[in-house]
Amino acid sequence: MVQQVTPETTIQVIYPESDGQPMADNTEQFTWIVKIKENLEILFASSADVFIAGDLFWYPVQGSPNIKQAPDTLVVFGRPKGKRGSYLQWKEENIPPQVVFEILSPGNTLKEMTKKLQFYQRYGVEEYYIYDPDKNDLNGLLRSGDSFEVIEEMNGWVSPRLKISFTLTPDTLEIVSSTGQKFLTPVEIDQLREQERQRAERETQAKEAALEELEKERDRYQELLAKLKQKGIDTDNL
């Protein structure tokens, strides 16, 4: 009797791209997530090998879809820009995000944030920043060996990877790039763009007015020379 051998069935592992939860709990949290993510995109727009994402699932271990986190913002140096449904680390040359940001909301629990800290520490994050906009409180952790060390003074701190500085004013957090470019909301960026457009328009109008006045002066000069010649005056020897 010939025994029939049934081929082994390969089980496909599904890595969900969404958990059905909102990106943010309130408008303030969402504003900060967008501000940090989009300004980092602008800052590294010319760097093809810096990938930046917001609220994207990061799976560090192949075959383990339950091991995941979705940082409010993550930055990966050494990986190309592009569309991704999630960050599958084994498909990204096994490079973990080096920098992550979390923006707190009243709904965040100590248990939840502790789990995130342990996750980021275990799976290779180098810099971890946590900002609470309601309390205007910024905390940072920096990798040292296999664990995190608390950054004792965040006011004036410069990120080793991002080269951005953090300043806590009495009312808010200010983030500035190494070139002095302040992180702004999309509305503020648009307002600056409009101000620049208006300034350029005023300069153009002023140049056009100056050229027009110069043209008039030249015409008046030519008219004067013509009148002098009519009176028999040698204008070449004036």
Side-chain angles (χ1 to χ4, degrees), residues 66-199:
N66 292 326
I67 300 177
K68 65 183 184 297
Q69 280 294 343
D72 287 334
T73 301
L74 61 81
V75 184
V76 191
F77 290 83
R79 297 307 300 151
K81 301 183 187 302
K83 296 180 180 179
R84 291 168 175 81
S86 58
Y87 190 81
L88 306 176
Q89 188 172 311
W90 57 94
K91 292 186 176 181
E92 306 282 356
E93 296 186 6
N94 207 35
I95 298 176
Q98 293 95 348
V99 185
V100 299
F101 289 83
E102 293 287 355
I103 307 301
L104 297 185
S105 72
N108 290 125
T109 64
L110 177 61
K111 179 180 179 181
E112 175 190 359
M113 299 311 298
T114 299
K115 287 176 66 177
K116 287 186 176 184
L117 188 152
Q118 292 172 340
F119 181 95
Y120 298 146
Q121 180 173 262
R122 179 173 182 179
Y123 292 109
V125 170
E126 297 175 12
E127 303 175 40
Y128 177 26
Y129 300 105
I130 310 133
Y131 180 57
D132 184 341
D134 289 336
K135 298 179 180 179
N136 190 28
D137 182 49
L138 176 67
N139 289 280
L141 298 106
L142 191 66
R143 177 164 294 278
S144 177
D146 294 329
S147 61
F148 280 140
E149 287 189 359
V150 174
I151 301 169
E152 295 297 338
E153 181 55 69
M154 282 303 303
N155 198 18
W157 172 261
V158 177
S159 160
R161 276 282 189 175
L162 305 176
K163 310 302 180 188
I164 59 176
S165 64
F166 302 90
T167 301
L168 283 165
T169 71
D171 300 317
T172 190
L173 169 65
E174 292 184 353
I175 306 175
V176 181
S177 73
S178 60
T179 60
Q181 181 179 341
K182 185 178 177 181
F183 278 30
L184 302 171
T185 66
V187 171
E188 290 170 332
I189 292 173
D190 185 68
Q191 289 172 342
L192 283 180
R193 187 184 297 112
E194 177 61 19
Q195 290 173 10
E196 178 60 24
R197 187 195 66 77
Q198 292 179 1
R199 184 194 64 78

Side-chain angles (χ1 to χ4, degrees), residues 38-64:
E38 292 303 315
N39 279 269
L40 287 174
E41 292 274 21
I42 294 169
L43 184 60
F44 291 100
S46 61
S47 300
D49 63 343
V50 179
F51 173 67
I52 299 165
D55 196 39
L56 184 74
F57 270 141
W58 162 27
Y59 293 93
V61 182
Q62 186 174 9
S64 300

